Amino acid sequence: MTQNFPAEFHRRPPSLPARGSFREPSRPNGSGRIVSLSAGKDHSEEVVDLTGNVNGAFRGDVASKRRKLNTGLVKEEPSYVTSSVSQAVNGDESNDVTHQFSSLGRPPWQFPILTWPEDEKKYTKRPGFQSPPPLPSRPGRRIQQDVFSSCRAEKDRSIPKREVETSPYKMLAPGDAPHLHNDDYLADFFPWKGSHAEDNLAREFVRDGFYSKTKFPFNLPHSRLAAENSSYNSGSSNPGANESVSTARGFHRSFQREPPMLSSLSAVFTAVLERRKSHGKMSSGSTFKPPPRVTLTEAKRKAWLTDLANPTVPLRRLSRTIPQGIRGQPLLEQCLVNGIPIGRAIWFAKCVGANEIRTLKRKGTSASFAASAESKWLKEWTSSIEALLESILNSCGAPDWNAKVNYCIELGTRLYNENLLDREHYLDWLVKMLSKSTVDRLPMWLLLLHIHAKELGLFRKRGRLLAVTVLDHLNAVLHDDVELLKPLIDKLTHFTKSFVKTRPACFVLPRSWTKYRKTVEHCLDSDAPTDQELLDVLETRNAKFLVADASNSQKQTSSVQALVDILDKAKPPFDFLDVSSRCLRIDENHASLVTNLLGWSATRFRTGLERQYLAVRLLRRWSKQGLDVETPIHDMVNGINQNQDVQIQSIYMVVAELVRSKTFSISRYLQWLMACGGEARPDHPGLQLLLNLPVQCLPEHIKHLRNAVLGRAGIEPMDEMDTVQHAKAAIAGVLPHIFGQPNVGLTHLDLKSQMRKLNGSAKFTISYWIRENVAQYYHEFSAKSDSQQDEAADVSKLSVSEFELLRGVLEFIADIPILADFLFDASNSDDEAVLAAAADTVNHHYAVLSMVGAFNDLHRSLFETYIRLRTTGSLLRNFTLSLMDLATQVPSSIVSVKGLSTDLARGERNAPVAACSPISDHMAETLHTAGSSFSDEFEQLLSTGTSLDDQAMASLFRALTVRLENGNADKKTSPELYCQMLCRLRVFRPKHFDSLMGKWLERLLQNSSQAILNGLFLPLISFNCTNLQTIFIIGKDLLSADAARPGIVNAKTVRASLSKVFDLWNLDTELSTTFLRYRFRLLQNRYMNGNAAEALEVLRLVSPLNSDDFAESLLLKSLGSDQSNTPKSPLYDSAAYFGLALCNLLRVSDSGDISPSPITVPKLKYAIRNSNEYSAPLLQLYLYIGLQQPEIHESLLNVIFGFAQNPQQLKASSDRKMHFMLSSLNPEASRKIREKAEQSFFAMLPPYASTSVSMDAIEKTRNESKAANFISIISLTAHGTPAHTSDRDTSVGPTIFEKLSGMLKQSSLTDSDCQRGALTQANANYLAHLLNLVSLHRDTLSPHSSTSPNTTNSTKPDQSPLKILIALISIALHPNFSDVPADVSFHILDTAALVVDNLSSECLALVSRLLKDRAKDPRAQFLLGNLNSTSSSFSSEEDDPGFLAVKPDSSGTTSSKILGEWRPKPWEMLEGGAEPSLGLGLFAAKRMKGRM
């Protein structure tokens, strides 16, 4: 603002510059200079000229370039300055100072005469020198500065020639100008811009001069304001000053004195508001017209696109016409190829889109048709954007790929942000592509995921899919140790962590939470309390549905069953640390844990020695960790007689191994036994334990104490010693070379009878004695061989017969540690038969040897021996075959399976070469004519052969099988040798050999001459020419073909052939077993462990002798595997024929029912009551077989429902029994049981309706227990619920809605009845049961039409899911439920979320419309989605109401009826020169922030 000068200074009137002259502004940039006044009044003060030029010269024309003055460098002076200075130096002083001022266009008398110093006259009295008028100095401030001295010094020095800089002037405020601190600007300093009030000439400015008006201080009090105004204006010479600063105080006082004037003032303000409201409305309709499209030639189109890519070409010119035919994905590709800027590409897309939408609207006759056409076009346009993004992201590595990806992502994001695509379709596509992405493409999709992360989690249905997708990808790469995947894992982990924290409701995944829980826990910080609290909340929310979810009901079992599941799934190689930690996490009651572990190891419903040794390893580890394992063992031993399902010898074996490892104290046990009086009863289980302990491991005083306790009970220890001596004599008589005693003529049967008389302690004594004698025989013989120098040292000389007999004895004793030592000695032998037998023994006892920790050493020792003997050049065919089988189970790092196969295929290295490699078919044909030298010829063929074609393979195979079918015509060659040749032949081409073997077996099984099968299956299977599974599959196919078309296959012959295979199954093993029979036992046991259900099916088809014994063995083998846990297993199809075997295993004959039928109602009740966790799979199978019988079907269902309704009738483990009992039902039986439970539950009086009925606490508790039992029955039988079949039960949906509506109605009572409408604990429990029902039936609760045969095609769709969803949301949002606990509120909303997951978008939109205002709640919007997200409006934000659409009346004026919100179309919001007829700026539209 211009400063008001004191009275002694005269104001200068504004003046016009002379024609053709340049008027220097009065506000230039630069420092002032000091001048003195020589005319007018005599001034003693110097003033600062703020407008003067620093160099003291002024120009009269405008320079072509402007210099930058904001630097301290000396600039080159213009030519007009240097010329004026040179004229002054030459003495041209004809013009005086008056002439200088006259050149400015003002009369000389308007300016004071300047007087210059004497030494400056030669510069100032030159022609053309001009000076601006001085400015007065600020009162009270004196500035002493000699500007001309500095200017003269600058002009005297030489100025270098420099080019004129092109940068414009930068205005700098003068440092000496008066500064007003209040307003923060300089007084009377305004850079010239041509818009200042002083630059506009007016009559009053010419007459009175220019001055600035005083700002009115509104913030001052009235009294102070009046005083300041009077004092401020008193010295002013301007007559209008008082008017400009006068207040409206008097005007307001006049209005306050007269009441009518106040009403008039109110009317004025009301009229102003009405006028503003009317101006804020747009009364005219939209007349938007997009730029027209014109068909252009290719050259013009290319030129137009080139201009569009050029930012200097205005869009106004391009908007006159746009090219025709560029739409969809080609439009985006043209933008990408031509490098069109993103903003101009958006403008081009808007122009094309507006034309497309306008064309679609012309085709339709109704608004609905136009809206549907526009929605369809928008989806197609969105699909083109998605296709472009997908193609660019998948073209990784192409030229300019990085720039293209950045452009496409930015373009797609801009289109999404400006709502120029279908957002719902785009986000769904993004989640879909993320789920289908591979690991190498995942980072690019994660980039798009981070861009739209906020929008992707706004809707439950899409957020759940996103959570599952991200967790699946994270699971796939989380445990990879590849360093390249570390950044990807970090990004996935970071996104999952942020997503869980922002949208935890998306991670309510009942059916897959157990799968993803560890992944979510990995993403969260274990040290952060908030993260752990969030994980606990998610665990709780998912656990509520896991209890009721039928697919996860088997996972929610007791601690006993959880322990049984872990132990059953423990397979070699064992991870003891993991198994131990998992078992300890199951049950905090360690005594119960030890008891259950002993029960599993000793149950008669499991087989295998590895169970006892696994229990021993775990108990030893827990004892070292400080757990008390002795007390549970004492209790277990004391109660053995009460549990008939426990094998006592298994418990004794576990305790004996604990005593051997010094984990169990015999002294404390003896004290406990004597304290409980066990020494007085000979049949006491605790006393019998003393007869099964390894006495060799006990100290002498403990031995004496043991013998004393046994003697008090009437058991003579000397009898035990006599039995041991007889057994030792029997073994020594059979093996005189090892034990140094003469042969007394005992047979193996006599030896076995002697071994059966031994108790546990005697067996341990015999095993120690065998190991000691074999060790002495081993070392003594080695020393003798060293002295004779005919054998190498440290080589065992056990013969194969001695090895087989001692192996049988140790296996009968079941002392695996001693057997491991024996096998280690045998692995150092150089006898190929002993080594082969030792390898098969290690393979057969693989699991139990791994359990005791001896397998790895034996495995390595056998392969090292093979390498040692391989260098001698001798063939080790049986040993090589056994090692191949062992290496298939556990690979060796010493010799590979391929190397063993090569050694097995080659012949004798010293044999004469009779053929060249490869083996030709002509050489194979010579074998047919070979006589007694068949084996020699075969060896010559394979000695140097490295490959074999199909024809030669078929010829050799035919030559060998013919000899096998002829029944060993060559007496010198046994069938075992031919089978060994077949095994070696298979190495060359395994697939072709298996094909030939299958065809031959198919013909062999149908051969009516059964004599050739005697002794043929044993070598074929033992030498791996074929296997049991192949034989049984071929036999089943033949019998199935005969059943389909009788007469094609001789079924009787096939069954007889398969029976010969079962005849080889030796269930009662002998002490001494030959190589072939032991290998068959090995392969038989492996097949039974892995294919028990298939073997039962073949057993049913064949029905050989002792089939029930085979069935019992196979049924026990099948327990603990996954195949016995589902009725869909083949085991259930075959087990119906073996009801007697099941009855024997379950011991239902003790029920007292003498009926010959294996399954009756009393037997079923007995089996249910006496079942436990270990026999539950057999009970499930037994129930399944019983329900297949129509005559007892209904009776069994009533029994099952009775037990389920009153689980107190079950003895123990009622939950586990109910699970197996109900999950074993077929779908029809499950449906009947479930309907009974649902009817019983709904027939109960709800708690909110029973408030008026007097009911004591006991009855309420009983009702709550019944309701919980009914829900458990429904959850366990929900696995048979058909989702979308004709058997769907649609009656449960309306009933659930009725109960929910009743609870909602009860909660909406008046204040006087609020105590009855409150959510009590009973109502909360009942609501939880209803929510569990909804979650159980969420798959069947879908708005599909009922297709039941009793309904017609005109039946309306079932609307109960929509009603249930509305009821759940209404309950969750009801004010009376606002104070319920957080877990109850979460349970309600999570249940509604599960219903939402199965509903379509149309159903959710209908629910949102029915909820009306309640749908605007954030919780409801998360479940139902934002309906505006798919709109084509300009803005879809929740806090932006847009414009109000008001209905005009008949007169044309707008009424107060509001039709709704109106938003401009995004396709019509063109910028940059589109010249639409409708624009917000033209109509001065105001955004209404509230509804009026």
Side-chain angles (χ1 to χ4, degrees):
M1 299 291 293
T2 304
Q3 178 71 25
N4 290 315
F5 304 136
E8 61 268 22
F9 287 92
H10 297 282
R11 293 182 177 87
R12 56 178 178 84
S15 59
L16 292 174
R19 184 179 301 275
S21 63
F22 173 78
R23 180 181 184 273
E24 186 70 14
S26 61
R27 297 167 302 279
N29 187 338
S31 5
R33 61 185 179 185
I34 302 176
V35 296
S36 59
L37 301 176
S38 58
K41 290 185 178 184
D42 186 14
H43 301 281
S44 61
E45 296 180 354
E46 295 179 347
V47 297
V48 179
D49 185 5
L50 298 178
T51 61
N53 193 298
V54 177
N55 296 326
F58 293 87
R59 54 187 175 87
D61 53 353
V62 181
S64 59
K65 300 288 186 178
R66 300 180 64 186
R67 294 180 299 158
K68 184 176 181 181
L69 301 179
N70 57 346
T71 60
L73 300 177
V74 180
K75 303 294 182 180
E76 180 180 355
E77 296 292 336
S79 59
Y80 58 83
V81 177
T82 56
S83 61
S84 61
V85 174
S86 62
Q87 290 178 5
V89 172
N90 294 332
D92 190 0
E93 301 178 359
S94 57
N95 297 325
D96 53 5
V97 179
T98 304
H99 177 71
Q100 300 169 12
F101 291 112
S102 63
S103 62
L104 296 176
R106 297 183 181 181
W109 55 82
Q110 293 292 337
F111 300 93
I113 302 300
L114 301 179
T115 303
W116 306 93
E118 294 298 332
D119 54 352
E120 299 290 342
K121 289 183 179 181
K122 58 181 179 180
Y123 298 104
T124 57
K125 292 185 178 182
R126 64 184 185 277
F129 182 83
Q130 302 175 359
S131 176
L135 290 177
S137 61
R138 187 173 181 178
R141 182 176 180 181
R142 183 179 184 89
I143 301 177
Q144 301 292 338
Q145 184 179 1
D146 190 358
V147 180
F148 282 96
S149 60
S150 61
C151 294
R152 182 177 67 252
E154 291 180 2
K155 292 180 181 179
D156 290 342
R157 72 171 65 103
S158 59
I159 301 176
K161 298 294 183 180
R162 303 181 66 177
E163 297 181 359
V164 179
E165 297 189 12
T166 59
S167 58
Y169 284 98
K170 180 178 180 181
M171 293 296 180
L172 296 177
D176 298 332
H179 188 75
L180 301 181
H181 296 281
N182 292 336
D183 295 330
D184 198 16
Y185 68 92
L186 300 179
D188 201 24
F189 178 76
F190 302 98
W192 186 85
K193 297 181 180 179
S195 59
H196 195 265
E198 186 180 357
D199 298 326
N200 298 326
L201 294 180
R203 178 177 301 176
E204 57 273 13
F205 292 166
V206 174
R207 182 181 65 251
D208 301 329
F210 178 78
Y211 59 91
S212 60
K213 296 181 180 181
T214 305
K215 296 176 64 176
F216 192 85
F218 290 100
N219 56 343
L220 297 177
H222 289 288
S223 59
R224 180 183 174 187
L225 179 64
E228 289 185 1
N229 286 339
S230 59
S231 61
Y232 185 79
N233 293 324
S234 60
S236 176
S237 59
N238 188 0
N242 292 332
E243 297 177 2
S244 63
V245 298
S246 60
T247 64
R249 181 168 47 190
F251 179 75
H252 283 289
R253 286 178 178 176
S254 62
F255 271 82
Q256 293 174 3
R257 293 190 187 98
E258 300 179 8
M261 299 303 292
L262 293 177
S263 60
S264 300
L265 184 62
S266 178
V268 170
F269 281 110
T270 304
V272 170
L273 293 177
E274 290 291 338
R275 184 62 58 88
R276 189 185 69 172
K277 179 179 177 181
S278 62
H279 281 302
K281 299 176 181 178
M282 293 180 288
S283 58
S284 62
S286 175
T287 58
F288 173 78
K289 293 182 180 181
R293 291 185 290 184
V294 180
T295 303
L296 301 178
T297 61
E298 186 64 27
K300 291 184 179 180
R301 178 185 297 182
K302 186 175 182 180
W304 191 90
L305 292 173
T306 304
D307 293 341
L308 182 63
N310 187 5
T312 60
V313 179
L315 294 177
R316 183 179 298 274
R317 192 183 76 179
L318 297 175
S319 63
R320 297 170 185 172
T321 56
I322 60 177
Q324 176 75 22
I326 304 179
R327 58 187 297 271
Q329 187 173 352
L331 184 148
L332 302 172
E333 292 175 352
Q334 289 292 338
C335 295
L336 175 62
V337 172
N338 293 277
I340 299 175
I342 298 297
R344 299 168 75 88
I346 297 296
W347 175 85
F348 186 28
K350 285 183 178 181
C351 293
V352 176
N355 279 284
E356 294 288 336
I357 295 175
R358 189 180 184 188
T359 304
L360 293 174
K361 289 182 178 180
R362 290 176 180 174
K363 297 179 181 179
T365 57
S366 61
S368 60
F369 177 82
S372 62
E374 180 180 354
S375 177
K376 182 180 179 181
W377 174 86
L378 190 61
K379 284 182 171 58
E380 293 177 355
W381 163 250
T382 306
S383 299
S384 63
I385 300 172
E386 296 166 357
L388 178 65
L389 276 171
E390 184 178 357
S391 61
I392 294 299
L393 291 177
N394 291 334
S395 62
C396 179
D400 299 332
W401 176 79
N402 192 9
K404 291 180 180 179
V405 167
N406 292 333
Y407 184 88
C408 291
I409 292 178
E410 186 177 358
L411 179 61
T413 306
R414 280 285 300 275
L415 292 172
Y416 177 89
N417 293 335
E418 297 192 15
N419 210 8
L420 297 176
L421 47 77
D422 191 337
R423 291 187 171 184
E424 293 288 332
H425 192 280
Y426 183 78
L427 295 177
D428 291 340
W429 167 81
L430 182 58
V431 176
K432 178 182 177 182
M433 296 307 299
L434 182 68
S435 63
K436 296 167 57 177
S437 174
T438 57
V439 177
D440 53 346
R441 302 277 189 248
L442 195 57
M444 296 307 304
W445 295 109
L446 282 178
L447 177 61
L448 291 175
L449 187 68
H450 282 285
I451 294 175
H452 303 285
K454 181 180 179 182
E455 295 85 356
L456 287 169
L458 293 178
F459 184 24
R460 153 71 188 185
K461 198 170 183 179
R462 187 184 302 110
R464 179 184 63 86
L465 294 177
L466 177 60
V468 172
T469 300
V470 175
L471 290 175
D472 283 336
H473 284 297
L474 188 56
N475 273 339
V477 300
L478 185 59
H479 302 290
D480 291 343
D481 296 333
V482 182
E483 188 66 25
L484 189 61
L485 296 178
K486 295 297 182 181
L488 178 61
I489 295 175
D490 294 341
K491 289 182 180 296
L492 286 171
T493 303
H494 176 71
F495 176 80
T496 305
K497 181 178 180 180
S498 60
F499 194 33
V500 169
K501 289 185 175 181
T502 54
R503 291 294 178 182
C506 295
F507 289 83
V508 178
L509 310 168
R511 292 179 177 173
S512 56
W513 174 247
T514 55
K515 175 183 176 182
Y516 300 126
R517 186 194 179 283
K518 290 186 178 180
T519 307
V520 176
E521 184 178 4
H522 168 78
C523 297
L524 297 176
D525 189 2
S526 59
D527 298 331
T530 55
D531 290 4
Q532 288 303 308
E533 182 180 358
L534 177 60
L535 182 63
D536 295 340
V537 170
L538 287 176
E539 182 76 19
T540 303
R541 295 171 69 173
N542 283 281
K544 290 182 178 295
F545 299 103
L546 288 176
V547 174
D549 199 341
S551 62
N552 291 281
S553 60
Q554 57 183 350
K555 299 176 183 178
Q556 301 300 316
T557 56
S558 62
S559 59
V560 181
Q561 184 55 39
L563 177 65
V564 172
D565 292 340
I566 293 175
L567 297 176
D568 285 341
K569 294 178 181 179
K571 303 298 179 182
F574 299 96
D575 188 356
F576 297 101
L577 296 179
D578 180 64
V579 175
S580 175
S581 60
R582 289 168 60 190
C583 292
L584 291 175
R585 287 197 299 265
I586 289 175
D587 195 353
E588 296 180 356
N589 187 356
H590 295 157
S592 175
L593 182 65
V594 173
T595 302
N596 295 328
L597 176 61
L598 291 173
W600 174 81
S601 66
T603 179
R604 63 184 181 87
F605 298 107
R606 298 293 188 274
T607 59
L609 286 175
E610 61 272 10
R611 295 178 297 123
Q612 288 81 26
Y613 285 95
L614 177 59
V616 170
R617 290 289 297 270
L618 293 176
L619 291 175
R620 287 171 57 187
R621 180 173 181 82
W622 295 346
S623 177
K624 292 180 180 179
Q625 294 178 356
L627 273 69
D628 181 16
V629 299
E630 294 186 1
T631 303
I633 292 177
H634 296 168
D635 298 337
M636 185 75 178
V637 172
N638 192 27
I640 284 179
N641 289 336
Q642 301 175 3
N643 192 350
Q644 299 178 359
D645 295 333
V646 174
Q647 295 175 338
I648 300 177
Q649 292 300 325
S650 298
I651 296 291
Y652 294 162
M653 181 184 294
V654 171
V655 178
E657 293 296 332
L658 293 177
V659 172
R660 178 184 288 182
S661 62
K662 295 180 173 49
T663 305
F664 186 81
S665 175
I666 294 297
S667 60
R668 285 194 292 267
Y669 175 76
L670 291 173
Q671 294 175 7
W672 168 83
L673 182 62
M674 290 183 291
C676 67
E679 59 178 348
R681 292 182 297 169
D683 59 343
H684 191 276
L687 193 64
Q688 294 296 322
L689 176 60
L690 297 179
L691 297 175
N692 292 273
L693 296 178
V695 183
Q696 293 77 12
C697 301
L698 301 179
E700 289 298 328
H701 67 284
I702 300 296
K703 290 181 183 179
H704 297 320
L705 182 60
R706 168 185 174 271
N707 295 335
V709 172
L710 291 175
R712 294 176 187 174
I715 301 175
E716 291 294 336
M718 297 303 297
D719 296 340
E720 179 184 80
M721 297 177 60
D722 293 340
T723 306
V724 170
Q725 292 299 327
H726 286 88
K728 287 182 179 181
I731 296 174
V734 177
L735 301 173
H737 297 287
I738 299 177
F739 300 98
Q741 295 183 8
N743 191 349
V744 295
L746 295 177
T747 63
H748 291 177
L749 294 178
D750 297 334
L751 177 59
K752 191 171 184 179
S753 63
Q754 289 290 336
M755 296 298 297
R756 289 176 177 174
K757 299 177 182 179
L758 300 176
N759 56 25
S761 298
K763 289 180 180 180
F764 282 114
T765 303
I766 294 297
S767 64
Y768 277 97
W769 175 72
I770 290 175
R771 184 181 66 174
E772 181 180 358
N773 283 272
V774 169
Q776 292 176 358
Y777 171 75
Y778 176 89
H779 290 291
E780 181 181 357
F781 193 88
S782 299
K784 184 184 298 183
S785 65
D786 288 337
S787 61
Q788 295 177 357
Q789 297 182 358
D790 56 353
E791 295 290 343
D794 296 331
V795 174
S796 177
K797 285 301 181 179
L798 281 172
S799 64
V800 63
S801 60
E802 295 171 344
F803 175 85
E804 290 173 353
L805 182 58
L806 291 178
R807 177 184 61 184
V809 171
L810 292 176
E811 287 180 346
F812 179 81
I813 295 175
D815 194 347
I816 300 301
I818 301 299
L819 178 63
D821 295 340
F822 172 75
L823 292 175
F824 189 80
D825 290 335
S827 65
N828 293 326
S829 174
D830 58 355
D831 188 351
E832 190 252 350
V834 174
L835 292 173
D840 288 337
T841 308
V842 172
N843 197 357
H844 182 59
H845 296 283
Y846 165 51
V848 66
L849 288 174
S850 299
M851 199 69 65
V852 299
F855 177 78
N856 293 331
D857 294 336
L858 290 171
H859 186 268
R860 183 175 59 255
S861 177
L862 287 171
F863 278 93
E864 289 176 351
T865 303
Y866 176 78
I867 292 298
R868 175 172 56 84
L869 296 179
R870 186 174 180 269
T871 58
T872 61
S874 60
L875 287 178
L876 307 170
R877 289 169 183 165
N878 291 342
F879 187 33
T880 305
L881 178 63
S882 300
L883 285 183
M884 280 184 59
D885 199 6
L886 181 60
T888 305
Q889 294 293 109
V890 180
S892 173
S893 60
I894 300 176
V895 183
S896 64
V897 178
K898 185 177 181 181
L900 292 172
S901 302
T902 304
D903 293 345
L904 181 63
R906 69 181 176 87
E908 292 284 354
R909 294 185 178 180
N910 298 328
V913 177
C916 300
S917 177
I919 301 173
S920 64
D921 54 348
H922 176 71
M923 300 174 213
E925 292 295 338
T926 60
L927 290 175
H928 293 281
T929 60
S932 60
S933 61
F934 178 83
S935 59
D936 298 335
E937 294 292 335
F938 187 83
E939 291 294 339
Q940 292 177 2
L941 287 175
L942 299 184
S943 60
T944 58
T946 56
S947 63
L948 195 67
D949 57 8
D950 293 345
Q951 187 176 0
M953 169 72 77
S955 180
L956 290 173
F957 182 84
R958 186 166 54 253
L960 292 171
T961 55
V962 166
R963 281 166 173 77
L964 287 173
E965 291 180 7
N966 291 337
N968 192 14
D970 185 7
K971 301 300 181 180
K972 296 182 180 180
T973 307
S974 62
E976 289 80 1
L977 183 58
Y978 289 132
C979 293
Q980 192 180 68
M981 293 178 184
L982 285 174
C983 177
R984 295 170 59 192
L985 187 63
R986 184 180 181 274
V987 175
F988 290 95
R989 304 180 71 85
K991 293 184 179 179
H992 186 56
F993 180 88
D994 293 341
S995 177
L996 295 174
M997 179 60 70
K999 295 178 181 178
W1000 181 62
L1001 287 175
E1002 184 176 350
R1003 187 177 73 254
L1004 192 64
L1005 291 176
Q1006 301 179 65
N1007 194 337
S1008 58
S1009 178
Q1010 296 294 313
I1012 65 173
L1013 297 179
N1014 295 328
L1016 190 57
F1017 282 122
L1018 180 63
L1020 283 176
I1021 296 174
S1022 299
F1023 283 108
N1024 286 347
C1025 300
T1026 185
N1027 52 54
L1028 289 170
Q1029 186 175 11
T1030 302
I1031 295 175
F1032 288 155
I1033 289 176
I1034 294 175
K1036 285 194 306 180
D1037 294 341
L1038 291 175
L1039 295 177
S1040 300
D1042 179 71
R1045 298 180 61 183
I1048 296 180
V1049 179
N1050 190 352
K1052 183 178 179 181
T1053 304
V1054 175
R1055 289 189 179 93
S1057 301
L1058 293 176
S1059 298
K1060 292 185 178 299
V1061 180
F1062 282 102
D1063 292 341
L1064 297 174
W1065 289 27
N1066 188 4
L1067 301 180
D1068 187 13
T1069 59
E1070 301 176 359
L1071 288 181
S1072 180
T1073 309
T1074 61
F1075 172 76
L1076 291 181
R1077 293 199 62 85
Y1078 198 87
R1079 278 197 56 80
F1080 184 84
R1081 185 198 303 177
L1082 164 66
L1083 300 174
Q1084 164 198 326
N1085 186 66
R1086 184 184 301 172
Y1087 174 76
M1088 292 174 63
N1089 289 332
N1091 306 91
E1094 182 181 293
L1096 275 172
E1097 186 178 1
V1098 177
L1099 191 64
R1100 174 180 61 86
L1101 296 174
V1102 176
S1103 299
L1105 297 176
N1106 300 325
S1107 60
D1108 290 335
D1109 296 335
F1110 288 125
E1112 290 182 22
S1113 177
L1114 291 173
L1115 287 173
L1116 291 178
K1117 289 285 186 181
S1118 66
L1119 295 182
S1121 60
D1122 295 335
Q1123 61 182 353
S1124 64
N1125 294 335
T1126 170
K1128 298 181 180 179
S1129 171
L1131 179 65
Y1132 282 74
D1133 298 333
S1134 304
Y1137 296 90
F1138 305 106
L1140 184 59
L1142 279 173
C1143 291
N1144 294 333
L1145 291 174
L1146 293 174
R1147 295 178 179 177
V1148 295
S1149 59
D1150 299 337
S1151 62
D1153 187 7
I1154 60 175
S1155 174
S1157 176
I1159 300 179
T1160 60
V1161 174
K1163 291 180 180 179
L1164 178 64
K1165 290 183 178 180
Y1166 180 84
I1168 293 176
R1169 289 194 185 100
N1170 293 275
S1171 61
N1172 53 25
E1173 288 80 5
Y1174 315 114
S1175 63
L1178 287 178
L1179 174 63
Q1180 181 181 12
L1181 192 60
Y1182 190 69
L1183 291 175
Y1184 181 84
I1185 297 173
L1187 291 173
Q1188 303 301 318
Q1189 302 179 11
E1191 60 274 9
I1192 62 173
H1193 180 79
E1194 292 296 332
S1195 300
L1196 291 181
L1197 288 181
N1198 294 331
V1199 171
I1200 293 173
F1201 185 74
F1203 277 115
Q1205 188 176 5
N1206 299 306
Q1208 294 81 9
Q1209 302 177 14
L1210 302 175
K1211 290 184 178 180
S1213 306
S1214 58
D1215 295 338
R1216 181 63 174 170
K1217 292 179 182 178
M1218 284 183 58
H1219 166 67
F1220 276 95
M1221 183 174 58
L1222 297 178
S1223 60
S1224 61
L1225 306 178
N1226 53 33
E1228 181 64 22
S1230 298
R1231 183 182 62 83
K1232 292 181 180 180
I1233 296 293
R1234 187 183 66 255
E1235 288 179 354
K1236 288 183 179 181
E1238 290 173 352
Q1239 293 173 2
S1240 302
F1241 175 77
F1242 290 132
M1244 295 177 61
L1245 194 63
Y1248 59 82
S1250 61
T1251 52
S1252 59
V1253 181
S1254 60
M1255 185 180 299
D1256 56 0
I1258 299 178
E1259 188 174 358
K1260 290 181 180 180
T1261 305
R1262 188 182 301 111
N1263 287 343
E1264 174 61 27
S1265 178
K1266 288 183 179 180
N1269 289 334
F1270 290 141
I1271 295 299
S1272 299
I1273 296 172
I1274 296 171
S1275 64
L1276 292 174
T1277 55
H1279 68 278
T1281 304
H1284 303 296
T1285 62
S1286 59
D1287 295 332
R1288 283 183 62 223
D1289 184 12
T1290 58
S1291 61
V1292 65
T1295 309
I1296 294 176
F1297 172 70
E1298 179 183 355
K1299 300 299 181 181
L1300 291 174
S1301 300
M1303 180 167 288
L1304 182 62
K1305 182 179 180 180
Q1306 189 72 14
S1307 302
S1308 304
L1309 297 176
T1310 58
D1311 296 338
S1312 59
D1313 297 328
C1314 276
Q1315 64 275 10
R1316 287 188 291 171
L1319 188 64
T1320 60
Q1321 184 62 35
N1323 288 334
N1325 295 335
Y1326 189 78
L1327 177 61
H1329 295 328
L1330 291 177
L1331 296 179
N1332 289 333
L1333 279 179
V1334 174
S1335 63
L1336 287 172
H1337 291 277
R1338 62 181 180 270
D1339 292 332
T1340 59
L1341 291 177
S1342 55
H1344 295 279
S1345 299
S1346 178
T1347 57
S1348 178
N1350 299 328
T1351 59
T1352 60
N1353 295 332
S1354 60
T1355 304
K1356 295 182 180 180
D1358 184 16
Q1359 300 295 332
S1360 57
L1362 306 184
K1363 296 179 181 179
I1364 290 175
L1365 180 59
I1366 293 175
L1368 290 175
I1369 296 177
S1370 301
I1371 291 176
L1373 304 182
H1374 199 277
N1376 290 350
F1377 289 91
S1378 59
D1379 297 333
V1380 299
D1383 56 342
V1384 178
S1385 178
F1386 283 150
H1387 196 189
I1388 299 172
L1389 294 174
D1390 293 341
T1391 305
L1394 297 182
V1395 179
V1396 165
D1397 294 339
N1398 295 324
L1399 297 180
S1400 61
S1401 301
E1402 292 77 9
C1403 295
L1404 297 180
L1406 177 60
V1407 171
S1408 180
R1409 288 194 296 268
L1410 293 176
L1411 287 174
K1412 298 181 180 179
D1413 293 338
R1414 287 172 293 180
K1416 295 183 179 181
D1417 190 276
R1419 294 169 291 180
Q1421 287 186 353
F1422 173 73
L1423 295 174
L1424 305 176
N1426 190 0
L1427 298 181
N1428 293 328
S1429 59
T1430 58
S1431 175
S1432 60
S1433 60
F1434 176 70
S1435 177
S1436 62
E1437 298 294 335
E1438 299 178 0
D1439 57 350
D1440 185 9
F1443 301 100
L1444 298 178
V1446 183
K1447 181 179 180 181
D1449 53 14
S1450 57
S1451 61
T1453 60
T1454 57
S1455 63
S1456 60
K1457 183 177 181 180
I1458 300 175
L1459 299 180
E1461 298 177 357
W1462 178 86
R1463 295 183 177 90
K1465 301 293 183 181
W1467 301 98
E1468 300 178 0
M1469 302 301 295
L1470 299 180
E1471 300 175 0
E1475 296 184 356
S1477 58
L1478 176 63
L1480 297 179
L1482 298 178
F1483 287 92
K1486 302 295 189 298
R1487 187 176 297 273
M1488 307 297 291
K1489 292 297 181 182
R1491 298 182 182 272
M1492 298 181 64

